[in-house]
Amino acid sequence: MTKIYQHVQFGPDAYRGRIERDGKVYRHRTGPDEYIGWIHYGKGEVFRHVPLAPDAYLGKIAPDRKIYRHVQFGPDEYLGQVTEDGKLFRHVEMAPDAYIGRLEAMRHPADGAAAMLLFFS
């Protein structure tokens, strides 16, 4: 299981959710965690769960670990990247990318795309 943490400037990182081995993504909350999406590991694609409708395609991770949000009728938008050790960085124009969180026990780079697209965008 991969755990997702959001960076907190003056304190410990905040736990936001988890990704199960089968690619299902859950948001942490009081009571049972909420199922919010899933990952297609073969293609590196991320989907948001939509009750009573087809799940929505959000974006993907490229082989160079860069994360892209799907834009309908246009080129996909570059959001940021995930490092090999699970650190997430959001793209910032004309400045270094900003550290926004981390993944503990990341199994696949698509886990970073799911964290970015479902929790940090």
Side-chain angles (χ1 to χ4, degrees), residues 24-99:
K24 292 185 178 179
V25 183
Y26 295 86
R27 179 186 323 275
H28 177 68
R29 65 180 183 178
T30 304
D33 289 347
E34 175 188 13
Y35 170 64
I36 60 171
W38 59 280
I39 302 166
H40 185 293
Y41 283 115
K43 296 181 179 179
E45 297 176 339
V46 178
F47 296 83
R48 179 187 321 276
H49 173 67
V50 180
L52 304 174
D55 289 346
Y57 171 65
L58 296 180
K60 64 182 178 184
I61 188 146
D64 60 359
R65 297 181 181 268
K66 292 186 177 182
I67 301 165
Y68 294 89
R69 177 185 4 228
H70 173 68
V71 176
Q72 191 171 7
F73 308 118
D76 288 350
E77 175 187 6
Y78 171 63
L79 290 182
Q81 60 185 322
V82 62
T83 62
E84 287 185 27
D85 61 352
K87 292 180 182 173
L88 287 167
F89 293 88
R90 177 181 306 284
H91 176 66
V92 178
E93 290 290 330
M94 306 296 288
D97 289 351
Y99 173 70

